[in-house]
Amino acid sequence: MAVGGAPAAADEDRGGLRTALSGLTTRGRSFIAAGVAAAVCAYVLGQSDLLRVGLLLAVLPLVCVAVLFRTRYRVAASRRLSPARVPAGSEARVHLRMDNVSRLPTGLLMLQDRVPYVLGPRPRFVLDRVEAGGRREVSYRVRSDLRGRYPLGPLQLRLTDPFGMCELTRSFSAHDTLTVIPRTERLPPVRLTGEAAGYGDGRQRSLALAGEDDVIPRGYRHGDDLRRVHWRSTARYGELMVRREEQPQRARCTVLLDTRRTAYQGAGPDSAFEWAVSGAASALVHVLERGFSVRLLTDTGSSVPGEGSGGFAGATQESADSAGLMMDTLAVVGHSDGTGLSRPYDVLRGGNEGLLVAFFGSLDEEQAAVAARMRQRSGAAVAFVLNSDAWVHGEAAEHDTRTLRLLRDAGWTALEVGPGAALPELWQQAGQQRGSSDPASWYGGTAATGGGTAATSTGTGTGGRS
């Protein structure tokens, strides 16, 4: 994306001569002082030649100020990020372009872009001379291990004259935003037997009845085949209606992220909470690549993208757009002040949610019981429970075993996540355990809800390809 701009008009008139004179360097002020002193001595001593020298010394800095004050409006700048959305720990390149739109060459220019300290040192570039109508391009790299949204800019331009008498600094109005999303890992394919009809691997579709009286019409949309126009309904409703010949059913998946502050300990890129955010991002990308309708749900009860039926991505919404929206949300998600999981439970109990993939922090028995009841409305449920005590102190808590047992008894495929655990191995193990203990699939709204057991997070399995 490219952004550009020129100095704001308000900055051009603000301060007037006082702003211009404030840009005088030590050399320029010294020349003015020497010129005034020479003029006074010439007046006292009656030396006309000394007066000429004094006037020359005093006028030269003022002329430089006037020239810079006029040429500052004739330089344009633009910025381009490549890419504008980057995973944590990866680099992005920022391209800057300066255009001299005046008919005169510029003097010495210094560019300085404002960047947050998290992205690295503030970049500075010196351009010796830009000819009339000329262009200069420079670039620098930024990198952050912390996800978030970081502003870049505004770009500052420092103009100076060839004699070094004056320096003027002006800021451009345009700025950009670099989005650092969580790291994602490529998850292995697992055997997904008995998937629900839809756009997933099953790819079955429910067709409308062929009888004329059983046709379910809908409003005409741009691009619909005119051969599907249903004239009887068009005459009845007074608008163009078409036959809805097939009803695609997209398999659903909900990724639940526990963001409660009380459920996690520690901070930083290697903390348990950051692992959970990265795991949720990896799961979202994985199921979106398989063509399923996905939504991101947090413990606050808010869902993303929030479009379509039940907050899922709409059937006409591109997977890339859905993934981008959810990744942008995960880039800035933080701890919530909530203490329970009642809000996501209220959202999930509204209907059959298909696959439910949850990333929980530490759960007490009360919240584990609430999480266990979430299983009742899902075709299959997989939970990754992070042991915060183990992440911070390296010691497992006693209640974690009881929490996992409670979830498994309710039908969850629950795995404990310890420090440094690899999500692809856990994902493959969960698929293996799900396939061996429960004939129902992970995905699908019609899967059975019978209970199953799962092993702990140690070891890996080999899941079959669907």
Side-chain angles (χ1 to χ4, degrees):
M1 56 184 297
V3 295
D11 292 338
E12 297 174 359
D13 299 327
R14 188 180 302 160
L17 183 60
R18 179 182 301 176
T19 302
L21 293 176
S22 65
L24 285 171
T25 62
T26 302
R27 180 184 299 178
R29 296 177 187 273
S30 300
F31 267 64
I32 293 178
V36 172
V40 172
C41 292
Y43 176 77
V44 173
L45 301 177
Q47 297 291 330
S48 58
D49 293 337
L50 183 60
L51 178 61
R52 296 188 186 96
V53 173
L55 291 177
L56 176 62
L57 293 176
V59 169
L60 180 60
L62 299 179
V63 172
C64 293
V65 169
V67 172
L68 287 181
F69 193 76
R70 287 179 56 85
T71 59
R72 61 173 181 159
Y73 311 119
R74 304 190 180 186
V75 179
S78 63
R79 181 191 298 105
R80 178 171 57 87
L81 300 182
S82 178
R85 183 188 292 116
V86 63
S90 300
E91 291 185 345
R93 184 169 289 274
V94 183
H95 301 269
L96 302 177
R97 193 181 78 178
M98 297 294 302
D99 294 284
N100 182 14
V101 296
S102 66
R103 298 181 179 179
L104 298 175
T106 66
L108 188 66
L109 301 178
M110 190 182 81
L111 301 180
Q112 178 176 278
D113 207 6
R114 290 185 179 180
V115 299
Y117 71 95
V118 178
L119 300 182
R122 181 170 295 183
R124 294 182 176 89
F125 304 94
V126 177
L127 304 180
D128 187 15
R129 181 179 180 272
V130 182
E131 64 278 5
R135 174 188 304 171
R136 295 292 185 272
E137 295 184 3
V138 294
S139 63
Y140 64 93
R141 294 177 297 179
V142 291
R143 179 181 181 273
S144 176
D145 292 328
L146 300 176
R147 56 186 176 81
R149 293 174 62 88
Y150 300 101
L152 299 178
L155 182 66
Q156 290 183 331
L157 175 64
R158 181 178 295 178
L159 304 174
T160 183
D161 65 281
F163 302 102
M165 299 291 180
C166 181
E167 289 183 352
L168 293 179
T169 302
R170 292 294 178 264
S171 295
F172 291 82
S173 58
H175 66 277
D176 247 330
T177 301
L178 176 67
T179 303
V180 180
I181 62 176
R183 295 185 183 93
T184 58
E185 298 182 81
R186 189 168 186 83
L187 302 182
V190 295
R191 186 170 183 80
L192 307 176
T193 58
E195 293 188 10
Y199 285 111
D201 293 344
R203 297 189 182 276
Q204 301 176 5
R205 301 184 178 183
S206 61
L207 303 179
L209 297 178
E212 189 71 15
D213 296 334
D214 296 322
V215 172
I216 304 177
R218 62 168 175 83
Y220 175 82
R221 298 173 185 170
H222 179 72
D224 286 338
D225 191 349
L226 293 178
R227 291 175 296 180
R228 294 173 53 192
V229 174
H230 191 247
W231 298 109
R232 181 180 299 178
S233 299
T234 299
R236 178 180 179 182
Y237 294 103
E239 60 177 329
L240 200 60
M241 306 291 290
V242 297
R243 293 188 299 272
R244 186 179 299 176
E245 295 180 346
E246 56 183 24
Q247 305 280 343
Q249 295 180 350
R250 294 173 65 92
R252 291 182 170 186
C253 176
T254 299
V255 177
L256 173 61
L257 176 62
D258 182 9
T259 64
R260 294 172 299 136
R261 190 182 304 275
T262 57
Y264 299 93
Q265 300 181 30
D270 298 327
S271 64
F273 180 68
E274 292 301 324
W275 192 99
V277 174
S278 177
S282 301
L284 287 170
V285 172
H286 179 73
V287 293
L288 276 172
E289 289 177 349
R290 299 185 66 86
F292 292 87
S293 181
V294 185
R295 72 173 171 183
L296 171 66
L297 182 64
T298 66
D299 61 288
T300 61
S302 60
S303 62
V304 180
E307 299 180 6
S309 176
F312 290 83
T316 60
Q317 189 175 11
E318 296 293 338
S319 296
D321 296 338
S322 301
L325 182 57
M326 287 183 281
M327 286 300 172
D328 290 345
T329 302
L330 290 176
V332 297
V333 69
H335 289 292
S336 68
D337 296 329
T339 58
L341 300 173
S342 59
R343 291 183 178 179
Y345 171 72
D346 293 338
V347 175
L348 292 172
R349 70 177 181 178
N352 198 319
E353 303 299 332
L355 172 65
L356 174 60
V357 180
F359 293 85
F360 293 118
S362 296
L363 297 174
D364 55 25
E365 293 187 7
E366 180 182 357
Q367 299 309 318
V370 176
R373 292 196 297 270
M374 297 180 185
R375 173 66 178 83
Q376 300 173 0
R377 288 296 184 177
S378 63
V382 181
F384 300 93
V385 183
L386 281 76
N387 186 343
S388 296
D389 291 336
W391 280 78
V392 176
H393 307 293
E395 300 177 357
E398 296 181 358
H399 67 82
D400 285 331
T401 302
R402 298 194 298 270
T403 298
L404 293 175
R405 185 182 300 113
L406 181 60
L407 293 177
R408 292 167 185 165
D409 291 342
W412 284 84
T413 301
L415 292 89
E416 182 180 358
V417 180
L423 180 60
E425 296 180 2
L426 295 176
W427 186 268
Q428 191 173 28
Q429 181 186 355
Q432 181 188 32
Q433 294 298 328
R434 187 72 192 177
S436 61
S437 62
D438 192 347
S441 68
W442 279 25
Y443 300 87
T446 58
T449 58
T453 58
T456 58
S457 60
T458 59
T460 59
T462 304
R465 293 181 179 269
S466 57

